[in-house]
Amino acid sequence: MANHRGPIEPEPSPWAFADLRDPGGGAGGGADLDDLVGMGADVAPGTLLAAYRHGIFPMPGESPRDPMLWFSPVRRGVLPLDGLVVSRSLRRSVRDFEIRVDTSFDEVVASCADPRRPHGWIDKRIRRAYGNLHRLGWAHSVEAWQDDRLVGGLYGVAIGGLFAGESMFHRVRDASKVALVGLVSALREAGSIDQRILDVQWRTDHLASLGVVEMDRNDYLDRLEKALRLPLPEVFGGPSADSF
């Protein structure tokens, strides 16, 4: 169930985020740069939105007492909307699921945060922060349902033409991949697919098998500036075709 009122802009953040473009520029630039670009601050809605608009996202430290860590990968993982790899078996699996949007956001985040999952990083601060963003209309879940049961999904932040994916989970084989197929379909329907960004933070071998590629930070930030000016997809509360 999408929020067709559109997102609500929160109070602005008291924190300042710098322009992270490397003056060296180009594919050969940034050899001495680091993915970690900051520590501390808060994760209030205004702070999170300001960070994403500057190409930065948070991750908690190892201990709840540690300050929040802020990242902007030197080599950013992105999924081109015309580059999703859908195998024959995945194409068959798509027929076995129902895709819903924003009907069980908190459950999706809780499932992604399951401490039994390897390499878990989502703590209570993150769950609360993105729940607040969701209630303002900025964070969204794309869900795979089977027999009226949530079996997979993903969540992330949508700002204009940016969808910043945060995490995904599955309880049934291919469920998270089917949710990704649903997300890509929704973003493609919004048009301007060569200008929109589906950000997955870092490229992994698994994500690369689905079509994820890497982009230099400078290139990502240049594209982000343009993507943010695009209209939000209708499924996430953007304008419908009959709104004009």
Side-chain angles (χ1 to χ4, degrees):
M1 183 180 300
N3 173 16
H4 292 288
R5 297 175 304 164
I8 300 170
E9 192 71 35
E11 290 292 322
S13 175
W15 305 94
F17 291 88
D19 186 338
L20 296 173
R21 288 177 178 83
D22 171 30
D32 58 343
L33 298 179
D34 198 307
D35 291 354
L36 179 64
V37 297
M39 299 175 64
D42 57 48
V43 285
T47 300
L48 286 174
L49 291 177
Y52 281 104
R53 286 164 172 155
H54 285 80
I56 301 169
F57 57 85
M59 296 187 78
E62 294 183 1
S63 165
R65 295 185 296 274
D66 291 343
M68 191 62 65
L69 306 179
W70 298 87
F71 292 90
S72 182
V74 177
R75 299 285 294 169
R76 194 77 168 228
V78 297
L79 177 57
L81 296 183
D82 59 356
L84 176 65
V85 176
V86 182
S87 66
R88 185 177 302 173
S89 62
L90 178 56
R91 192 173 294 111
R92 288 195 297 267
S93 293
V94 167
R95 300 193 293 264
D96 298 331
F97 299 90
E98 176 191 357
I99 298 299
R100 304 178 188 177
V101 175
D102 287 343
T103 68
S104 294
F105 179 86
D106 290 335
E107 186 177 352
V108 169
V109 177
S111 299
C112 290
D114 188 337
R116 295 171 295 182
R117 299 182 67 196
H119 313 299
W121 58 272
I122 301 172
D123 64 9
K124 291 181 180 179
R125 291 176 295 174
I126 292 294
R127 289 177 62 176
R128 183 167 51 248
Y130 285 83
N132 290 337
L133 266 189
H134 172 65
R135 282 173 271 284
L136 289 172
W138 297 96
H140 303 277
S141 58
V142 181
E143 309 147 8
W145 290 76
Q146 197 172 65
D147 299 325
D148 211 31
R149 183 170 69 96
L150 177 67
V151 294
L154 59 86
Y155 79 95
V157 176
I159 310 174
L162 167 70
F163 188 91
E166 285 295 312
S167 188
M168 58 200 312
F169 83 99
H170 70 276
R171 296 174 183 148
V172 171
R173 182 177 177 178
D174 284 344
S176 59
K177 293 180 183 178
V178 171
L180 179 62
V181 172
L183 170 62
V184 170
S185 177
L187 298 179
R188 287 176 61 89
E189 287 177 6
S192 304
I193 66 171
D194 58 329
Q195 299 178 57
R196 293 183 181 275
I197 297 176
L198 176 45
D199 174 8
V200 300
Q201 301 177 347
W202 287 283
R203 175 190 178 277
T204 65
D205 290 342
H206 170 65
L207 291 174
S209 72
L210 294 170
V212 167
V213 299
E214 287 187 328
M215 180 180 295
D216 288 313
R217 183 191 285 169
N218 277 17
D219 293 337
Y220 176 83
L221 294 175
D222 287 343
R223 281 199 55 189
L224 176 64
E225 188 175 347
K226 298 172 183 176
L228 292 175
R229 295 197 288 264
L230 295 175
L232 192 67
E234 183 180 354
V235 71
F236 298 136
S240 61
D242 56 5
S243 296
F244 299 95

